Amino acid sequence: MKRKAGNAPQIEELLYQALETEIGGLNVYETAVSCAVNEDLKKEWLEYLEETRTHRRVLLTVFEQLGLDPERQPPGREVVRHIGESLVKAMKMAVAAGDPDAAQLVAAECVVLAETKDHANWTLIGVIADQQGGVEAKVLKQAYDAVVTDEEHHLYHTKGWSRELWIEALGFPAVLPPPEEVKQVESAIGASRAEQARDKMLGH
Ligand SMILES: [Fe+2]
Ligand SMILES: [Fe+2]
């Protein structure tokens, strides 16, 4: 099958956005950890913080291998940075309001938002690795394989935490740690199955 070469400037754009997402993610996690009341959640986010550090390193290696300058600031990257800083600001606002449980809910939502972008970036990097030929594909495939399972955890597990902590706050029976955690979910299908199993886990 003859491969169609991708749109090179847009591929670069994605890589810059992905790098900035990981860099901003470090600040998001540092703040989120300080908002975590639940000890299991705190432990989990500390792990994700470390993994995010690794992802940044993986991307810096990609930049080196592809001859890209990691200091460059294309406009799309600045937008990603702005969103990351806004998420940190939102969490600090919630902390300042003085209700730790409420701040934890805000932090969980902020992590879900940050990880939605992170997960989308890596899914797209996987598409490039799959569709593009040559050295670039090889470099990106290696990076993708090193990171993708972490990103599935980051997004789907935190989504589970956010939902269950909200349900608990609303005064209904919650599954904590969330089903996604217990069932070690690593995909969208798995996350959906875990969510549907919550009734059973509550003993209904
Ligand atoms: Fe990441
Ligand atoms: Fe992530």
Side-chain angles (χ1 to χ4, degrees), residues 22 29 48 52 55 114-115 118-119 122 150-151 154-155:
E22 300 291 5
Y29 274 116
Y48 294 173
T52 303
H55 300 171
E115 288 296 353
D118 201 13
H119 189 273
W122 282 102
D150 291 349
E151 298 301 5
H154 294 182
L155 179 59

Side-chain angles (χ1 to χ4, degrees), residues 97-119:
D99 177 345
D101 288 331
Q104 175 175 255
L105 284 179
V106 170
E109 288 189 2
C110 287
V111 171
V112 169
L113 289 172
E115 288 296 353
T116 299
K117 171 66 173 162
D118 201 13
H119 189 273

